[in-house]
Amino acid sequence: MKWSKNKPDKPVEKFFGFLFLTLVFCFLYSQMALANPYGFDNYGGNIPYGSQTMLTIATSGDVAIPVQSGVLSTTRLNPTTITVTTTDQHGYNLYIRSLSSTSMTNAGSNITASANASPGSLADNTWGYTTNAGDLNNFIGITAANVSIKTASSGPYYPTGNTTNVYFGIKVANDRPAGSYTSNVVFTAVAQSP
């Protein structure tokens, strides 16, 4: 498990382990971000000019998926909830990416990320994610690059928190050895600029 601390005006990153049949600890981190310069904010907003704005990100924790061979297994009943709290007048963008490898690994065996660049069914021995609770058979494969999963700008700020549910799915064939397969996922929240 690893966590990262960034300087103000940098994205706030939250690392969490995506686990297959195991659980690990979750770290929370909050950070202050500098206010936008004069002329780039909304007059009359709740955050005065010259004041710092705040952006924090937290998750509901690591996840575990009990898996049955040949059947799609998901976190339908227990999604990962990402909560972003910010006083930035322009909202935020939320991204997802892998920390290092996009595959879930267990010693010499692995389960690769789905090749789906757009929502679709999972092939055998692949895993993916979706934010669509209405159709949990439409997963996207995680990549090493940030992919936007939410733009929240209608607030225009979220001082009490704004949540996003992310559902993970995995489909394993009989040829994979039993055990715990793990991968690390990074959620990044970035305050929007006008």
Side-chain angles (χ1 to χ4, degrees):
M1 180 58 66
K2 181 178 179 183
W3 62 285
S4 173
K5 180 175 180 181
N6 298 310
K7 296 179 181 177
D9 286 336
K10 296 289 185 182
V12 178
E13 294 189 343
K14 168 69 183 134
F15 296 80
F16 84 98
F18 179 75
L19 303 175
F20 174 61
L21 304 178
T22 56
L23 293 173
V24 296
F25 298 103
C26 173
F27 296 97
L28 303 178
Y29 172 68
S30 66
Q31 170 187 341
M32 296 298 290
L34 297 179
N36 287 318
Y38 184 80
F40 286 91
D41 217 332
N42 297 331
Y43 181 76
N46 290 344
I47 307 300
Y49 287 114
S51 298
Q52 288 185 328
T53 58
M54 175 268 301
L55 177 73
T56 65
I57 183 173
T59 72
S60 55
D62 300 314
V63 297
I65 305 177
V67 175
Q68 181 179 353
S69 295
V71 177
L72 175 65
S73 303
T74 72
T75 59
R76 173 187 290 275
L77 300 178
N78 189 27
T80 298
T81 301
I82 299 95
T83 303
V84 177
T85 304
T86 181
T87 54
D88 189 278
Q89 294 291 326
H90 303 282
Y92 68 92
N93 292 311
L94 182 63
Y95 301 91
I96 189 172
R97 68 174 170 85
S98 66
L99 175 59
S100 52
S101 172
T102 59
S103 294
M104 299 180 73
T105 58
N106 174 27
S109 185
N110 64 55
I111 299 168
T112 61
S114 171
N116 297 345
S118 58
S121 300
L122 290 177
D124 284 347
N125 299 323
T126 65
W127 69 282
Y129 69 91
T130 184
T131 57
N132 184 357
D135 188 352
L136 290 184
N137 199 31
N138 279 315
F139 291 93
I140 299 171
I142 197 160
T143 64
N146 278 327
V147 173
S148 177
I149 57 173
K150 185 172 190 176
T151 297
S153 58
S154 60
Y157 58 96
Y158 303 90
T160 59
N162 182 261
T163 61
T164 303
N165 286 331
V166 177
Y167 303 83
F168 293 97
I170 187 168
K171 190 173 180 188
V172 181
N174 289 324
D175 62 347
R176 287 296 181 269
S180 295
Y181 290 76
T182 64
S183 186
N184 292 300
V185 174
V186 180
F187 290 111
T188 305
V190 181
Q192 293 197 49
S193 297

